[in-house]
Amino acid sequence: MTSLWTGLIQVGLLLVALAAAYRPLGDYLARVYEDKKHWRIERGLYAIVRVNPDAEQRWTTYAAGVLGFSFVSVVLLYLLQRFQGWLPFGFDREINPATAFNTAVSFVTNTNWQSYVPEQVMGHSVQLAGLTVQNFVSAAVGIAVAVAVVRGFTRAKTDRLGNFWVDLVRGCVRVLLPLSIAAAIVLLAFGAVMSLSSGVTVTTPDGQQHVLALAPVASQEAIKELGTNGGGILNANSAHPFENPNSWTNLFQIFLILLIPVALTRTFGKLVKDVKQGYVLLSVMGLLFAIMTTVAWWAESNPNGIAALAAGGAMEGKEVRFGIPGSSLFAVATTGTSTGAVNSLHDSYTGLGGGVALLNMLLGEVAPGGVGAGLYGILVLAVIAVFLAGLMVGRTPEYLGKKLGRKEITAAAIAMLAMPTVVLIGAGLALALPGTAGALNNPGAHGLSEVLYAYASAGNNNGSAFGGLTVTSDFFQVSLGLAMLFGRFIPILAVLTLAGSLAQQRKVPPSAGTLPTSGPLFAGMLTGTVVLVAALTFLPALALGPIAEALS
């Protein structure tokens, strides 16, 4: 009973904090991306890279900026790792090519999948100059793409979607950097470590000496959660007491994970000049998040194993300072967004609890989704929902005053189907190829869940790991890296195509046959579309994995 009330209080505090930040942050984000003036520091950056900030771009040019910037980022981060032995505050060893490729792609795509032990492999220079920088810019890219998609709905008879470089810089300078500084100070005040020392030697009660790794944790922890990145600067990630010292920092990190994705629904409503549209998206996200949290919490509190029953819950793989409520809430938050941070071992969850974490990603991470990616992901599903409604009544579907024809629906379908294709092909190859069998440490349904989770995490740019699967071979390093690339950039290209097509249309005034999209009816349709798409796509795989394990 104590655990129940503790968990309910945590949920209550989280909701109050998010509600308090929702309107001011959402409105601020709308002003940031609508502002016609440039800060002096921003103009200096534009001058350095020779960008005209007042020149707007077609969707093709905007997409080229996203791809070009990301490609250069992958190359530079790869080289930084390969030559880290030449850098200060680093390790005197190079990182092998496959791991360097996987890590470079991982952080540039906002996935932050880690197939290495950070404190043993990555020096402080790579962490700060490489990984932390990508934590900022990869998150800013996601917000920029989301804003460009919204402009497709708000603009008419134009082929311009804004300027990628302006959106990127503003996301870093005006949003992520100030919020991260404030968050780092809070984490530091509550006990997170901040040090450039390589470690400290301690003597344990048995007289043995051990070196505890240190790092500039607080600064990276802030943007790790705020940008829905998730890569831990220490191997235990947010289960490590240096990264997540107590229940207060745990709750604060969950708040940071959800903050921008939730606020962006308010931003969407402000930009389209109808805040009710944002409330509809928020209600769908909130409903799915509440269901997932409830199921995961119940499953972990009511396990079917003898040892877990004796312990009063499935506490294996969980930190006692967080307990089941804090662990379940964190697991749902991190898999409901594209955040790879974990404060417990998902591999140790019950069949149903682990299935919730997996299903959260397979829904497309729209509850509430990653920074930017969650908003454009649920807008794609909203387009699909309106299209399905149009089929039922026999008229051309319209959403936010724009007609949805063949080109728009094709783009939305590609964005929607890219992730399932990547996940199922990748998991199928990993299970079918004979050379990969040795990577599985668990047989049967649980082993299938581990492989499916790995590719769902990569394909959704999540980055969390189920555990129990050895992914250090070149096959997994490369295949998961490719899953991250395709899972990130195919949807981005598709939604920018959609935005470009919408921006060229004129606004269509609502008529008697227009489907209202600002009320509970459409919210129910959108929720059903999200669930139906995932169910039709992944139910066979889920039935052989987590569902079979839960029923066994």
Side-chain angles (χ1 to χ4, degrees):
M1 186 61 68
T2 302
S3 176
L4 173 63
W5 282 108
T6 299
L8 292 176
I9 291 171
Q10 290 182 33
V11 172
L13 291 173
L14 178 64
L15 292 177
V16 168
L18 288 172
Y22 178 72
R23 184 167 183 169
L25 181 57
D27 292 352
Y28 173 72
L29 290 170
R31 291 195 300 271
V32 164
Y33 291 99
E34 284 189 316
D35 193 2
K36 301 300 182 183
K37 297 181 179 179
H38 308 290
W39 290 2
R40 181 175 299 178
I41 187 174
E42 294 171 348
R43 286 193 175 276
L45 292 172
Y46 302 142
I48 292 173
V49 296
R50 300 174 65 84
V51 166
N52 178 6
D54 298 314
E56 295 213 340
Q57 300 169 331
R58 299 180 179 89
W59 80 262
T60 51
T61 309
Y62 201 102
V66 173
L67 294 179
F69 177 76
S70 300
F71 173 75
V72 172
S73 297
V74 169
V75 172
L76 291 178
L77 185 52
Y78 175 84
L79 294 175
L80 200 62
Q81 295 174 81
R82 294 286 288 151
F83 295 103
Q84 79 157 340
W86 296 82
L87 302 174
F89 302 107
F91 294 113
D92 188 19
R93 69 169 72 97
E94 68 176 26
I95 299 172
N96 72 68
T99 302
F101 165 76
N102 183 282
T103 304
V105 169
S106 174
F107 278 78
V108 171
T109 58
N110 199 242
T111 310
N112 300 71
W113 173 275
Q114 293 172 292
S115 58
Y116 57 90
V117 179
E119 57 263 43
Q120 296 178 7
V121 176
M122 296 291 177
H124 293 337
S125 294
V126 177
Q127 291 276 13
L128 294 174
L131 306 187
T132 304
V133 168
Q134 288 305 317
N135 282 347
F136 280 94
V137 296
S138 66
V141 167
I143 302 176
V145 171
V147 171
V149 173
V150 177
R151 289 185 186 128
F153 287 103
T154 60
R155 298 185 176 185
K157 304 179 74 173
T158 180
D159 59 355
R160 310 290 162 157
L161 291 178
N163 189 308
F164 166 69
W165 305 105
V166 171
D167 294 338
L168 175 69
V169 169
R170 288 184 179 182
C172 292
V173 173
R174 301 193 191 186
V175 180
L176 296 171
L177 190 58
L179 288 176
S180 295
I181 292 173
I185 293 172
V186 173
L187 289 170
L188 195 60
F190 278 93
V193 169
M194 188 71 185
S195 174
L196 287 175
S197 172
S198 60
V200 58
T201 302
V202 298
T203 303
T204 57
D206 62 358
Q208 298 292 321
Q209 287 193 332
H210 300 272
V211 177
L212 300 181
L214 295 176
V217 171
S219 60
Q220 176 135 331
E221 197 73 17
I223 186 58
K224 156 189 159 182
E225 310 295 19
L226 191 66
T228 60
N229 296 287
I233 199 167
L234 299 171
N235 192 43
N237 208 286
S238 288
H240 199 293
F242 288 175
E243 291 196 29
N244 195 1
N246 50 60
S247 58
W248 287 106
T249 57
N250 189 66
L251 189 61
F252 182 63
Q253 289 187 25
I254 297 172
F255 168 74
L256 292 178
I257 290 171
L258 301 174
L259 179 60
I260 295 179
V262 167
L264 277 173
T265 60
R266 170 76 182 186
T267 305
F268 169 70
K270 293 292 288 186
L271 291 177
V272 300
K273 304 297 189 292
D274 186 355
V275 293
K276 290 183 179 179
Q277 299 289 343
Y279 292 149
V280 167
L281 301 187
L282 180 63
S283 66
V284 174
M285 294 173 174
L287 176 62
L288 293 172
F289 186 88
I291 292 173
M292 293 298 187
T293 302
T294 301
V295 174
W297 189 356
W298 179 86
E300 298 308 296
S301 300
N302 298 272
N304 54 12
I306 297 175
L309 288 171
M315 281 300 297
E316 179 188 327
K318 299 181 178 66
E319 287 291 320
V320 293
R321 65 184 186 276
F322 307 139
I324 289 175
S327 300
S328 301
L329 187 60
F330 200 106
V332 173
T334 198
T335 54
T337 60
S338 60
T339 312
V342 291
N343 75 344
S344 56
L345 184 63
H346 293 180
D347 194 41
S348 294
Y349 276 45
T350 62
L352 184 56
V356 166
L358 177 56
L359 180 59
N360 233 359
M361 293 187 293
L362 298 180
L363 289 176
E365 290 189 327
V366 293
V371 168
L375 179 59
Y376 65 70
I378 201 167
L379 285 175
V380 165
L381 289 165
V383 167
I384 297 297
V386 173
F387 172 68
L388 295 175
L391 289 178
M392 287 186 276
V393 298
R395 59 171 286 134
T396 302
E398 301 168 10
Y399 184 48
L400 300 177
K402 297 297 180 74
K403 287 187 176 294
L404 304 176
R406 184 181 65 179
K407 185 175 181 180
E408 291 78 21
I409 297 303
T410 300
I414 292 173
M416 179 185 68
L417 295 174
M419 179 271 291
T421 302
V422 167
V423 171
L424 293 176
I425 290 177
L429 286 174
L431 291 168
L433 295 177
T436 60
L440 283 173
N441 296 320
N442 292 291
H446 193 78
L448 173 61
S449 296
E450 291 172 348
V451 175
L452 186 61
Y453 191 104
Y455 285 92
S457 181
N460 281 284
N461 301 128
N462 182 281
S464 64
F466 213 50
L469 178 68
T470 304
V471 293
T472 53
S473 69
D474 287 353
F475 169 80
F476 280 107
Q477 298 280 27
V478 174
S479 64
L480 289 169
L482 293 175
M484 297 174 208
L485 284 172
F486 294 142
R488 174 74 163 181
F489 293 114
I490 291 178
I492 282 179
L493 289 175
V495 297
L496 288 177
T497 304
L498 171 65
S501 178
L502 292 172
Q504 293 178 30
Q505 297 183 26
R506 63 181 180 86
K507 279 277 188 178
V508 179
S511 63
T514 302
L515 172 70
T517 57
S518 60
L521 175 63
F522 183 68
M525 288 185 59
L526 180 53
T527 304
T529 301
V530 173
V531 175
L532 185 63
V533 167
L536 291 176
T537 307
F538 294 109
L539 187 58
L542 291 171
L544 295 173
I547 295 176
E549 184 181 0
L551 295 175
S552 61

